[in-house]
Amino acid sequence: RKEVEQDPGPFNVPEGATVAFNCTYSNSASQSFFWYRQDCRKEPKLLMSVYSSGNEDGRFTAQLNRASQYISLLIRDSKLSDSATYLCVVNAAGNKLTFGGGTRVLVKP
Amino acid sequence: GAGVSQSPSNKVTEKGKDVELRCDPISGHTALYWYRQSLGQGLEFLIYFQGNSAPDKSGLPSDRFSAERTGGSVSTLTIQRTQQEDSAVYLCASSPDRGDYEQYFGPGTRLTVT
């Protein structure tokens, strides 16, 4: 089993709709969680950290479920510019971040 | 301010040759990471440097891969006797300190082994 697993997608989303997807992690001792965004042929950039209580940043909401060992990302009112690959990132031990394979989201008019 | 820079941006090399990839992290960042990303795949961790500590080399795929970080700043990733499966984008990232700080990525070096 991979340390961090994501549905590769693509998730085809009509503009204005809501899309949500999860990421599961295998190490129950994982401490820190993040969502990164990667545009095609570009480097990843931090979208948001994921806190235990859940957190929201504009149209983006991240949740952490420690019992079931997954984090989620929800995007409301999807924009065409939200089309990207969303990478789940987990810090399980030490200072090494483990990246998931990414979930591709395509927002269409 | 200046972000993470990497050079070259593209490198085409023949199978069996050695290559060196360079990363200039953000000034003052103590942590530096190398990743590899094959087409359509996620990021594969290669190596991590933190200050003066011994690097975490657990992700290096073979002994043909090595990296060093001189003076706590610039890092070079060396691949000896390149193979076609080494073709990928090699990404460098730096962060201020520990792993739970945001990692800032460079634009990557696209390596093609022919």
Side-chain angles (χ1 to χ4, degrees):
Chain A
R1 182 184 174 187
K2 291 183 180 178
E3 290 184 59
V4 181
E5 291 200 72
Q6 296 184 249
D7 182 338
F11 284 66
N12 294 299
V13 186
E15 192 176 9
T18 295
V19 61
F21 41 89
N22 294 338
C23 161
T24 59
Y25 59 94
S26 61
N27 189 335
S28 59
S30 298
Q31 299 290 329
S32 305
F33 309 87
F34 310 88
W35 284 104
Y36 275 69
R37 170 190 170 131
Q38 186 173 25
D39 293 298
C40 188
R41 301 177 79 86
K42 297 285 189 180
E43 69 273 20
K45 293 185 179 179
L46 179 68
L47 177 66
M48 58 197 302
S49 302
V50 185
Y51 303 123
S52 296
S53 56
N55 48 299
E56 191 174 304
D57 183 1
R59 297 180 294 106
F60 296 83
T61 301
Q63 297 279 353
L64 167 63
N65 186 318
R66 284 194 182 274
S68 299
Q69 294 184 205
Y70 73 87
I71 64 172
S72 64
L73 182 66
L74 182 146
I75 307 173
R76 286 186 303 277
D77 187 23
S78 299
K79 311 292 184 190
L80 297 177
S81 57
D82 294 334
S83 296
T85 296
Y86 292 85
L87 301 168
C88 168
V89 186
V90 176
N91 181 354
N95 299 302
K96 187 177 80 176
L97 297 183
T98 302
F99 284 74
T103 295
R104 191 169 170 218
V105 173
L106 296 174
V107 181
K108 300 187 175 181
Chain B
V4 178
S5 61
Q6 292 186 244
S7 60
S9 54
N10 280 284
K11 177 72 177 178
V12 180
T13 190
E14 292 181 354
K15 177 181 173 181
K17 296 287 177 90
D18 297 351
V19 294
E20 267 192 11
L21 313 179
R22 176 186 170 109
C23 172
D24 283 84
I26 293 173
S27 178
H29 281 192
T30 59
L32 186 147
Y33 308 76
W34 282 99
Y35 299 90
R36 176 169 74 173
Q37 187 172 35
S38 300
L39 187 63
Q41 302 297 310
L43 274 70
E44 176 188 3
F45 166 80
L46 297 177
I47 188 169
Y48 159 67
F49 296 89
Q50 173 61 61
N52 295 320
S53 302
D56 177 352
K57 304 179 181 180
S58 60
L60 294 178
S62 77
D63 59 8
R64 296 187 296 105
F65 288 72
S66 62
E68 61 178 25
R69 188 178 184 190
T70 53
S73 181
V74 172
S75 177
T76 55
L77 176 69
T78 301
I79 309 173
Q80 296 178 308
R81 305 180 302 281
T82 52
Q83 304 294 313
Q84 287 186 330
E85 61 262 29
D86 299 335
S87 296
V89 175
Y90 289 81
L91 290 158
C92 173
S94 70
S95 69
D97 192 352
R98 299 177 296 121
D100 54 355
Y101 283 90
E102 176 179 357
Q103 290 195 5
Y104 296 82
F105 283 82
T109 293
R110 184 173 299 277
L111 174 66
T112 304
V113 182
T114 61

